[in-house]
Amino acid sequence: MARPRILVVGAGFAGVECVRRLERGLAPGEADIVLVTPFSYQLYLPLLPQVASGVLTPQSVAVSLRRSQRHRTRIVPGGAVGVDTQAKVCVVRKITDEIVNEPYDHLVVAAGSVTRTFDIPGLVENARGMKTLAEAAYVRDHVISQLDLADASHDEAERAARLQFVVVGGGYAGTETAACLQRLTTNALRRYPRLDPKLLKWHLIDIAPKLMPELGDKLGKTALEILRRRGIDVSLGVSVAKAAPDEVTFTDGRVLPCRTLIWTAGVTASPLVGTLDAETVRGRLAVTPEMAVPGKNGVFALGDAAAVPDLAKGDGAVCPPTAQHAMRQGRALADNLIASLRNRPLRPYVHRDLGLVVDLGGRDAVSRPLGIELKGMPAQAVARGYHWSSLRTNVAKTRVMTNWLLNAVAGDDFVRTGFQARKPATLRDFEYTDAYLTPDEVRAHTASAVTHG
């Protein structure tokens, strides 16, 4: 009798935690585990702003799957572009662009999310994202190149425009990105004696009335004060009305000459969700508290791709798309899969909030571990301690700690690698959001494979 096949799509926090738990909980030969991911690493997303600012190297936050897994899992190098839930087949586009079918008995949709955009003129063509490792490396090169170009320019207007930077999104990603990059550029100007430090300006804007409302009023206000004290212009209740290569127009009518627009205004579930032809909640797959997709036999979903009921809050609330939830859901779902294989009852996902941490670079941070509000160095110690302990391999932990110590002792460096130097990178260049199939295309592909198989 063939062994049950568990197919996990996505190597983010949810997918990796699920696979790790399955490898430890399943007996040898009890089931086959397959992981579909275009990259052989788990990206530690919360530390991307530190990659963009050069505090950490890209390799530090790319945790090797080959090191962290027990080698019982077969890794398929590609991205899932469609699911036929009737045939129980996942359609995968491999990194060679070859399209293959991966059958499953149990499917775990942990495909994560992509950058959420709006119908704003020029946004997709002129904004840069901060969702992938490649984007963080590109943003770093781009920001440093603006300093180099401003220093070489004899045009005062061009020089001023290149030293204006706009970050959209007052959540964790946007706030930490603006804080870390502002610190980098401020320190870098000491190496550019021809540039007037007064011309350097970072803008953080968000349509929401509060900065990081998840922190609560007190810590949110503290974070806002820290940013403004450091010279970051924070505008709330404001968004982008139009974006061009050399200027950004805000919804309050301001037109800002600048060459850098970083877009971090939220995420939306992976387009893979739309291929399952299943019910969604605000774009995320609707699931039961046990993380099963109703009406889709053997299909489970979690993390950013799923609207997992938040039983701790009740009243129809769903869990926010955070790493903390994704990791816990991954472990809980693995336990449910094992229970399902052994004909035991499944358990609903219930969580206990551990708190929040926000690293603003240098000695600045705000944290709320277990409800205790902290700021400054104590908050920084908690934030970095949490991130460090969450890294899954000793190699990754060693690299990150070494990078932190080196940056603390030697300071920042301002080297450009030349990554995509002559090709403007847009939001669509790194996330491949146009690679997915429609439900009809998925069914046609799986039917064709059956006919020719």
Side-chain angles (χ1 to χ4, degrees):
M1 182 177 176
R3 288 181 296 199
R5 204 162 190 260
I6 301 174
L7 185 68
V8 180
V9 175
F13 288 104
V16 168
E17 284 298 318
C18 182
V19 168
R20 284 169 58 88
R21 189 82 154 205
L22 288 171
E23 288 185 330
R24 286 161 173 73
L26 290 170
E30 191 172 1
D32 291 330
I33 309 170
V34 180
L35 176 62
V36 177
T37 173
F39 306 109
S40 59
Y41 62 78
Q42 177 197 359
L43 176 62
Y44 194 83
L45 199 64
L47 290 178
L48 271 189
Q50 295 191 35
V51 173
S53 63
V55 173
L56 298 176
T57 62
Q59 194 176 8
S60 303
V61 301
V63 183
S64 170
L65 295 178
R66 304 291 179 181
R67 284 184 182 271
S68 61
Q69 308 306 125
R70 288 188 171 184
H71 311 298
R72 288 181 54 188
T73 300
R74 181 170 71 90
I75 298 177
V76 178
V81 294
V83 177
D84 187 339
T85 56
Q86 294 294 323
K88 285 199 164 187
V89 169
C90 180
V91 182
V92 177
R93 188 188 302 273
K94 296 173 75 173
I95 58 176
T96 58
D97 274 340
E98 176 190 3
I99 296 182
V100 298
N101 288 336
E102 290 287 342
Y104 66 84
D105 295 294
H106 302 278
L107 175 67
V108 177
V109 180
S113 57
V114 296
T115 301
R116 179 182 62 183
T117 58
F118 300 96
D119 189 19
I120 298 172
L123 175 66
V124 173
E125 296 80 10
N126 297 297
R128 276 84 187 176
M130 274 289 292
K131 193 74 172 64
T132 68
L133 190 59
E135 283 177 312
Y138 176 85
V139 165
R140 172 175 167 76
D141 265 21
H142 173 81
V143 167
I144 295 174
S145 73
Q146 298 311 300
L147 302 183
D148 289 341
L149 290 166
D151 184 63
S153 176
H154 298 291
D155 185 324
E156 288 299 323
E158 179 191 354
R159 183 176 291 186
R162 292 195 182 279
L163 294 179
Q164 298 263 18
F165 302 89
V166 177
V167 178
V168 184
Y172 296 101
T175 301
E176 292 187 336
T177 296
C180 290
L181 286 171
Q182 184 269 345
R183 179 177 177 272
L184 170 72
T185 52
T186 299
N187 292 337
L189 283 190
R190 299 169 189 167
R191 308 289 181 178
Y192 296 85
R194 295 181 64 248
L195 295 180
D196 182 356
K198 294 179 181 179
L199 294 178
L200 177 65
K201 193 69 178 180
W202 280 85
H203 302 261
L204 176 62
I205 69 171
D206 196 290
I207 196 65
K210 294 181 180 180
L211 187 72
M212 290 186 295
E214 303 90 343
L215 285 173
D217 289 343
K218 185 177 178 181
L219 278 185
K221 184 179 179 182
T222 299
L224 181 61
E225 290 173 351
I226 290 172
L227 296 179
R228 285 178 170 164
R229 186 174 66 245
R230 284 168 47 176
I232 299 175
D233 182 26
V234 181
S235 299
L236 300 174
V238 177
S239 189
V240 173
K242 183 171 62 174
D246 55 0
E247 68 178 24
V248 177
T249 303
F250 296 157
T251 53
D252 61 5
R254 284 180 292 164
V255 179
L256 185 72
C258 82
R259 308 296 176 90
T260 306
L261 174 61
I262 302 173
W263 181 266
T264 66
V267 296
T268 187
S270 165
L272 180 67
V273 165
T275 74
L276 274 77
D277 199 19
E279 183 184 350
T280 59
V281 176
R282 283 177 243 165
R284 302 162 73 185
L285 282 170
V287 297
T288 67
E290 294 77 19
M291 291 170 280
V293 179
K296 304 295 180 182
N297 182 32
V299 180
F300 299 82
L302 70 168
D304 292 7
V308 179
D310 190 341
L311 299 183
K313 289 184 178 179
D315 295 327
V318 298
C319 297
T322 65
Q324 190 179 131
H325 277 293
M327 293 169 72
R328 296 178 185 182
Q329 289 168 9
R331 293 191 287 267
L333 180 52
D335 290 343
N336 276 346
L337 286 168
I338 294 170
S340 178
L341 291 172
R342 297 172 183 172
N343 295 315
R344 296 174 183 170
L346 308 188
R347 293 182 177 180
Y349 171 71
V350 183
H351 76 96
R352 176 170 174 252
D353 186 19
L354 293 179
L356 306 165
V357 295
V358 182
D359 189 335
L360 299 174
R363 298 182 178 182
D364 293 327
V366 291
S367 300
R368 196 181 66 206
L370 302 175
I372 302 171
E373 296 187 344
L374 301 172
K375 62 181 180 179
M377 287 300 291
Q380 183 69 278
V382 169
R384 294 201 171 184
Y386 172 77
H387 290 316
W388 186 82
S389 64
S390 297
L391 295 166
R392 287 306 180 197
T393 68
N394 290 330
V395 171
K397 289 181 178 180
T398 301
R399 284 194 179 116
V400 166
M401 183 60 71
T402 301
N403 284 175
W404 279 340
L405 292 173
L406 182 61
N407 182 260
V409 173
D412 299 313
D413 70 78
F414 319 109
V415 176
R416 286 186 289 118
T417 63
F419 182 73
Q420 283 201 329
R422 297 189 177 277
K423 179 186 177 184
T426 69
L427 288 170
R428 296 288 181 259
D429 288 331
F430 293 107
E431 298 190 62
Y432 309 106
T433 52
D434 57 351
Y436 296 85
L437 306 179
T438 66
D440 287 342
E441 289 173 332
V442 171
R443 286 189 287 269
H445 188 274
T446 54
S448 174
V450 170
T451 303
H452 294 91

